[in-house]
Amino acid sequence: MKAEKKKRIVKTIRVDVDKCNGCRACEVVCSAFHASPKYSSNNPERSRIRVIHEPLRDIYVPVYAGEYSAAECAGRDKYTIDGKDYDECAFCRASCPSRPLFTEPDSGLPLKCDVCESDPPLDEPMCVQWCLNDALVYEEREEEVEEEAATREELETGLESLANKYGMQKMLDTVARISKKG
Amino acid sequence: MRFSETGFNLEIDLSTGNVERVETDPGLTELHLGGLGTNARLLWDRVPPDVEPFSPDNLLILSAGLLVGTHAPGANRTIVSTISPQTLFMAYSMMGGFFAPELKHAGYDKVIIRGKSPKLTYLWINNDKVEIRDASHLRGKGACETAELIRRELGEPKAQVAAIGMAGENRVFFASIEHGRSSASRLGIGAVMGDKGLKAIAVRGTKDINIARPAEFMEFCNGVLKYIEVRDKKPVPGVMPILAGLGSPQEMKLIDEEWHTTNFMWGNSRTRRRDFWTKEIEEKWRGTQESVRKRLISCHNCPMKCGATISAPGVSTYMMKCFSKLTYTMAAYSDLDFGFRIAQRATEYGVDAYSAPQVMAFGLELREAGILSEQDMEGMPSDNEGKFYWLLDRIVRREGIGDVLADGTYWAAKRIGKGADAYAHNNIKKHEQLPLKLGMLNPVYFLMYSTGEKSNITQIEGQFPQAPFATKEEREDFVKDWIHVPHERFKQYLLDWEFRGERSNPYYPTVEMSCEIVDWQEMMHYIDDALGMCAGLSSFPLKPPYHVHNYPQIISAAAGIDIDEAALTKITRRNRTLVRAVNNRRGLTRDDERPPEDHWKKRFPELEAKLLDEYYKFKGWNKRGIPTRESLCGLGLDDVAEDLAKRGMLTPEEGVPPPQGSVG
Ligand code: SF4
Ligand code: SF4
Ligand code: SF4
């Protein structure tokens, strides 16, 4: 497929870890927003943002759920910032088999931040709205990008790897459960 | 489906190791909401008055309130209830942080602990899997340290832990349960946990909490956050800084401590230092606070930042909130740096930061007065601060004189004799109070101090200003957006309240007004304690986001029980009356309801008697402070009335059932 120049809105959530007070309101509201019907339940475990916090080491890092990864990385990252050692993978957004982060608690399926996609669209994502401490700030900017639609093949590989990991039946059950709820 | 609550309690018998998940009766939620309300019901039903605090039959209940685990901002309180070793009455203490929401997500509204384990244990609640685990390797460990060790050994960094330190293990009468930045400190709850051989409870939960009417509920939650944002920018003028905003008193944020240090008493609640606060002190304390405070932190789902991570050179990092910053400092006539340092050790030991410093200052007074001898204090260092560390170390181990002092000032004075009781001068119901000594009696505060079942002023005061505003303009300005009053006439009470003259303390607010004002303030606390709402967003600060007018709808939308203001008022009265009945059955009467003799310089015995008489009447209690049959039956507490009558606690007329149809 030929690449085309296209304008698109890049949605950014700026995370200021210094302002985070560890309240987990972002987790609460994200899970409530994605419940179906909307706001009918809450469970931070289903949230697409998790606050990695270790109060005694003064570590507070809100992390957004990114792409699903079928296998864990071969090399791991470990950061030291301002004299504080962060745990392995602390900043990684992937839903990955190496850790229990960003997976649905009952199905084990991966979670991903969708920037609160909804119709009509929200002024600001819910986690940003509920973070009164401005640790999360929403920004939109326009960018010119070379748009390449995901090919069918890529999508299929994605599904296949999910099925490999979780089993086809479990995936189908979850899809059935989600569509029933919706 | 149950809404807003899980519908299950976890029953643990530590004597037999039996663990049971028990479905609760939804009818009880309609009668009591949850939290403190249902805790009181459990204590009434299952802990008869002859059960001693340290009996295996005493229950230790850790309860999440009804709204905990929902999206309601600030609903995160664990309400811990048991029988207090110090007052011998019902103890309840609320702790913030993250424990209660985690418990709800694990699928339980309460953990109810009975029996005693012969070995030190801890509880690991991981959703449906519950284990009683050996804790012998944790004996003597600090409370925060224990939490870290447990998280590590379980490999569960997200587990929330409530633990006791050495004070709880050794049954110090003012031992606390610690949970990170929060604690259930008052009334010796940690001692009961220690007596049961329970070092800690760790919990992890990944289940949903359901909301009955989601869209409506969410609108209220958004409204609460909007209100907080606006209110935050509008501190109440004309009151001291800690009372101007929302949240618990903002001790971690604020540097200006003029009000506390010049109005509260130093030492064993002895000396007022009117000239203490100077520019130099302010600069010095600013330096101390800013250098040790790493970050302001909050509790689960709350935008306020009432706590802080504290890291003073040479001592481990810990978390602090509220007034504990000053209690050690002031008890020792020392400075803030000492306060931050000793509080670290005290937090690891797990002691109540109100009682502990006062008990130590009391011990030193007794030594100075020659009532305690040099031998009693053998080995005590000679420097002032060193004495406090030394005493703290003895108390939590119950070593030597520490064993006596570990019972608190009231019981220690009894054991010591030789006139020591004159030095235990700051107690209500055997429990140490904030170090405040004032001039003129305030009738509202007289009633709150006397009758508050929690024996802690901050757990009953809040909605009505503590003192009149100086000018008419200020008053008019204050009442303008005072939507919180249960009735318009409360505004008039405030508008007419003055510093001097006819309409001033102690005769104004009048007896009738005082009853209403106290009842309103207390009601707000009882609602919060049933819901698990932080008082810092509701009953404690002036003009909070939650109040008696929006609560009924919020509760209805979350829990799907339809209540209006009248119904909520009645539930609250039921809970409040039940707590009183639990205590009456354990011997509480009017004789116990007195503030310290020296709390105010100017006392008015006749007025005080009248205040109590009228307030009791207002509450539906008899002259001895015991609920009448009529009021009990009116609240559907017929079985309680029956029991009190059988025990001869109601006089014959009060014991007679009311004529049909006279109560609603
Ligand atoms: S809502 Fe904001 S302050 Fe609270 S935990 Fe999330 S990022 Fe941190
Ligand atoms: S932007 Fe929306 S979906 Fe993403 S983490 Fe925040 S609340 Fe959740
Ligand atoms: S107001 Fe303060 S104490 Fe209350 S829940 Fe919020 S942070 Fe915690």
Side-chain angles (χ1 to χ4, degrees):
Chain A
M1 196 190 280
K2 215 187 115 218
E4 255 176 71
K5 290 260 181 199
K6 265 200 169 172
K7 281 195 176 161
R8 70 158 192 203
I9 303 282
V10 178
K11 299 173 174 178
T12 311
I13 295 169
R14 190 182 285 278
V15 182
D16 185 343
V17 297
D18 292 335
K19 287 191 177 145
C20 178
N21 66 3
C23 68
R24 304 175 68 188
C26 47
E27 298 181 359
V28 168
V29 78
C30 177
S31 74
F33 179 79
H34 289 90
S36 114
K38 263 200 176 85
Y39 311 121
S40 62
S41 69
N42 129 42
N43 182 358
E45 202 61 17
R46 296 187 197 281
S47 170
R48 292 117 202 261
I49 176 170
R50 295 310 295 267
V51 185
I52 315 288
H53 62 301
E54 279 184 59
L56 294 180
R57 289 166 64 208
D58 195 39
I59 287 173
Y60 291 80
V61 188
V63 178
Y64 284 89
E67 294 303 327
Y68 164 74
S69 144
E72 44 194 283
C73 305
R76 302 284 179 83
D77 300 327
K78 209 168 172 177
Y79 289 82
T80 305
I81 304 172
D82 211 9
K84 280 175 262 180
D85 287 333
Y86 291 79
D87 288 345
E88 229 170 51
C89 312
F91 299 101
C92 180
R93 304 175 51 154
S95 165
C96 143
S98 79
R99 55 178 188 178
L101 211 61
F102 301 136
T103 48
E104 273 277 355
D106 10 70
S107 64
L109 283 176
L111 292 163
K112 186 184 162 192
C113 167
D114 58 5
V115 209
C116 292
E117 218 173 67
S118 71
D119 191 20
L122 305 180
D123 292 343
E124 277 188 336
M126 289 311 293
C127 55
V128 173
Q129 288 187 37
W130 272 45
C131 180
L132 298 196
N133 288 293
D134 294 336
L136 310 176
V137 175
Y138 183 65
E139 285 164 4
E140 280 180 0
R141 64 170 194 276
E142 235 176 25
E143 233 176 39
E144 281 206 334
V145 287
E146 291 189 0
E147 179 107 330
E148 264 183 285
T151 62
R152 211 187 135 75
E153 209 175 318
E154 271 169 347
L155 270 177
E156 269 168 10
T157 326
L159 281 177
E160 203 180 294
S161 61
L162 279 183
N164 281 346
K165 164 138 202 274
Y166 299 105
M168 191 50 112
Q169 198 50 47
K170 197 168 191 183
M171 238 180 76
L172 290 176
D173 287 351
T174 309
V175 171
R177 186 177 59 86
I178 290 169
S179 40
K180 219 191 282 165
K181 260 191 168 179
Chain B
M1 197 195 287
R2 301 281 278 264
F3 295 105
S4 193
E5 59 183 348
T6 67
F8 287 92
N9 289 339
L10 192 59
E11 296 261 6
I12 313 272
D13 188 331
L14 287 172
S15 299
T16 61
N18 194 52
V19 173
E20 245 177 297
R21 180 168 170 265
V22 180
E23 189 161 3
T24 57
D25 172 8
L28 282 178
T29 311
E30 282 171 31
L31 284 172
H32 301 285
L33 296 178
L36 178 63
T38 33
N39 282 7
R41 187 73 233 184
L42 283 164
L43 288 178
W44 174 269
D45 289 342
R46 289 170 47 182
V47 185
D50 55 340
V51 171
E52 306 276 338
F54 293 145
S55 151
D57 295 334
N58 187 12
L59 297 182
L60 175 69
I61 310 169
L62 286 90
S63 175
L66 180 61
L67 288 184
V68 170
T70 70
H71 352 321
N76 53 43
R77 257 41 190 179
T78 311
I79 298 95
V80 193
S81 308
T82 187
I83 304 299
S84 161
Q86 192 180 39
T87 65
L88 306 175
F89 296 134
M90 174 172 169
Y92 63 94
S93 195
M94 279 69 66
M95 81 187 176
F98 300 84
F99 186 87
E102 201 71 31
L103 184 66
K104 278 281 226 7
H105 287 302
Y108 314 97
D109 298 318
K110 295 183 200 294
V111 191
I112 303 166
I113 295 149
R114 63 179 187 276
K116 258 187 214 199
S117 161
K119 282 198 323 195
L120 197 63
T121 53
Y122 77 89
L123 208 60
W124 169 220
I125 305 168
N126 186 6
N127 288 320
D128 295 338
K129 220 170 119 217
V130 180
E131 287 170 51
I132 301 172
R133 296 173 66 113
D134 178 48
S136 35
H137 58 300
L138 299 170
R139 182 176 299 282
K141 295 272 190 266
C144 313
E145 199 187 350
T146 297
E148 288 298 305
L149 289 168
I150 287 179
R151 270 192 285 266
R152 213 172 305 152
E153 83 180 40
L154 296 174
E156 270 289 352
K158 289 205 185 84
Q160 298 296 341
V161 182
I164 54 170
M166 212 187 278
E169 285 177 37
N170 293 324
R171 308 197 306 185
V172 172
F173 283 12
F174 41 92
S176 59
I177 300 175
E178 297 286 329
H179 162 60
R181 67 169 295 299
S182 308
S183 60
S185 292
R186 301 290 277 159
L187 297 158
I189 283 169
V192 175
M193 185 152 156
D195 179 64
K196 297 205 169 298
L198 187 62
K199 178 71 178 171
I201 304 175
V203 60
R204 174 84 178 104
T206 58
K207 300 186 191 182
D208 298 351
I209 299 298
N210 297 306
I211 302 299
R213 301 203 288 270
E216 190 187 330
F217 181 65
M218 189 61 184
E219 220 178 293
F220 282 118
C221 296
N222 281 325
V224 163
L225 287 178
K226 289 256 151 56
Y227 182 95
I228 292 174
E229 261 188 305
V230 175
R231 172 73 176 76
D232 230 24
K233 294 188 186 97
K234 282 203 322 194
V236 175
V239 299
M240 51 246 176
I242 56 156
L243 294 178
L246 292 176
S248 300
Q250 297 294 298
E251 290 297 315
M252 297 299 106
K253 184 162 98 194
L254 299 171
I255 308 285
D256 180 355
E257 287 295 353
E258 174 161 14
W259 187 74
H260 274 133
T261 55
T262 63
N263 283 289
F264 280 47
M265 309 306 261
W266 294 66
N268 176 26
S269 192
R270 282 297 175 200
T271 331
R272 187 162 167 194
R273 298 165 87 183
R274 283 174 200 273
D275 305 322
F276 176 78
W277 194 254
T278 59
K279 269 268 151 291
E280 294 84 82
I281 297 276
E282 177 158 355
E283 275 326 295
K284 187 164 177 235
W285 286 27
R286 178 186 304 282
T288 303
Q289 189 155 326
E290 285 174 355
S291 74
V292 302
R293 185 186 63 199
K294 294 300 159 228
R295 184 186 297 257
L296 292 172
I297 53 177
S298 90
C299 306
H300 181 87
N301 194 19
C302 175
M304 307 305 296
K305 291 173 280 195
C306 309
T309 318
I310 303 292
S311 190
V315 300
S316 308
T317 303
Y318 69 109
M319 291 174 267
M320 180 188 249
K321 73 273 157 191
C322 229
F323 191 49
S324 42
K325 157 184 154 190
L326 289 184
T327 51
Y328 295 95
T329 299
M330 290 179 69
Y333 298 95
S334 186
D335 72 2
L336 191 57
D337 181 59
F338 165 73
F340 278 124
R341 283 164 181 282
I342 193 168
Q344 186 273 333
R345 196 180 293 188
T347 305
E348 288 288 11
Y349 284 154
V351 288
D352 173 20
Y354 283 10
S355 288
Q358 234 171 86
V359 171
M360 295 189 276
F362 158 85
L364 292 176
E365 269 192 355
L366 292 183
R367 173 69 199 100
E368 256 164 56
I371 295 175
L372 288 178
S373 67
E374 216 175 309
Q375 286 91 306
D376 289 326
M377 303 297 204
E378 210 187 316
M380 184 166 75
S382 56
D383 68 302
N384 179 42
E385 281 80 11
K387 287 177 183 168
F388 277 80
Y389 281 110
W390 186 85
L391 279 171
L392 183 61
D393 290 348
R394 301 277 105 42
I395 288 171
V396 300
R397 292 176 176 80
R398 282 193 173 274
E399 274 171 17
I401 192 63
D403 182 44
V404 179
L405 294 174
D407 290 351
T409 57
Y410 174 87
W411 296 107
K414 285 240 170 306
R415 262 169 90 177
I416 295 165
K418 304 183 210 160
D421 49 351
Y423 296 80
H425 68 114
N426 199 35
N427 297 332
I428 298 176
K429 295 165 190 157
K430 313 180 179 66
H431 190 47
E432 293 81 12
Q433 301 297 309
L434 278 182
L436 257 174
K437 302 292 162 198
L438 304 164
M440 174 57 76
L441 181 108
N442 171 329
V444 171
Y445 272 77
F446 169 79
L447 281 179
M448 294 196 294
Y449 273 116
S450 301
T451 64
E453 219 78 36
K454 174 82 195 283
S455 301
N456 197 32
I457 195 66
T458 57
Q459 304 293 334
I460 179 169
E461 66 183 349
Q463 291 310 290
F464 201 82
Q466 299 190 2
F469 289 101
T471 65
K472 195 159 165 262
E473 291 70 49
E474 279 175 282
R475 284 172 227 152
E476 280 168 355
D477 198 46
F478 182 85
V479 302
K480 252 185 220 147
D481 58 355
W482 207 15
I483 52 167
H484 308 75
V485 286
H487 191 281
E488 284 298 301
R489 62 178 179 271
F490 285 76
K491 294 185 180 171
Q492 202 57 46
Y493 301 164
L494 187 78
L495 286 169
D496 292 341
W497 192 23
E498 289 174 344
F499 265 115
R500 264 166 221 91
E502 245 170 66
R503 288 201 301 259
S504 69
N505 290 343
Y507 294 106
Y508 196 96
T510 66
V511 173
E512 290 71 30
M513 293 172 194
S514 297
C515 292
E516 287 183 19
I517 294 169
V518 173
D519 188 62
W520 168 36
Q521 304 200 75
E522 184 173 75
M523 172 169 76
M524 295 319 298
H525 283 276
Y526 272 81
I527 298 174
D528 289 347
D529 299 347
L531 299 178
M533 183 57 68
C534 172
L537 291 184
S538 176
S539 45
F540 185 74
L542 295 163
K543 302 184 179 174
Y546 295 99
H547 45 79
V548 67
H549 307 301
N550 62 8
Y551 255 150
Q553 294 144 295
I554 295 175
I555 298 165
S556 302
I561 43 175
D562 282 299
I563 51 171
D564 55 14
E565 259 179 70
L568 180 59
T569 307
K570 189 167 177 181
I571 293 170
T572 312
R573 188 157 291 157
R574 181 178 299 123
N575 289 348
R576 201 270 168 262
T577 307
L578 194 53
V579 173
R580 164 108 331 198
V582 170
N583 284 338
N584 289 141
R585 201 166 66 160
R586 301 191 71 87
L588 175 80
T589 65
R590 183 178 184 129
D591 295 338
D592 300 290
E593 310 232 271
R594 45 176 86 210
E597 291 305 325
D598 57 358
H599 188 80
W600 295 279
K601 249 195 216 99
K602 293 190 188 142
R603 298 293 290 262
F604 301 82
E606 260 172 56
L607 172 66
E608 291 173 19
K610 183 147 186 250
L611 278 163
L612 272 187
D613 282 345
E614 290 307 312
Y615 185 66
Y616 285 173
K617 224 187 275 167
F618 186 93
K619 291 288 220 192
W621 306 342
N622 67 21
K623 281 212 163 192
R624 283 162 299 130
I626 301 168
T628 63
R629 178 180 280 270
E630 192 181 357
S631 73
L632 287 166
C633 295
L635 295 166
L637 298 171
D638 302 62
D639 59 324
V640 176
E642 211 52 61
D643 185 286
L644 291 182
K646 238 190 254 151
R647 290 172 196 278
M649 297 180 63
L650 299 172
T651 56
E653 319 82 271
E654 288 159 4
V656 172
Q660 287 293 314
S662 72
V663 283

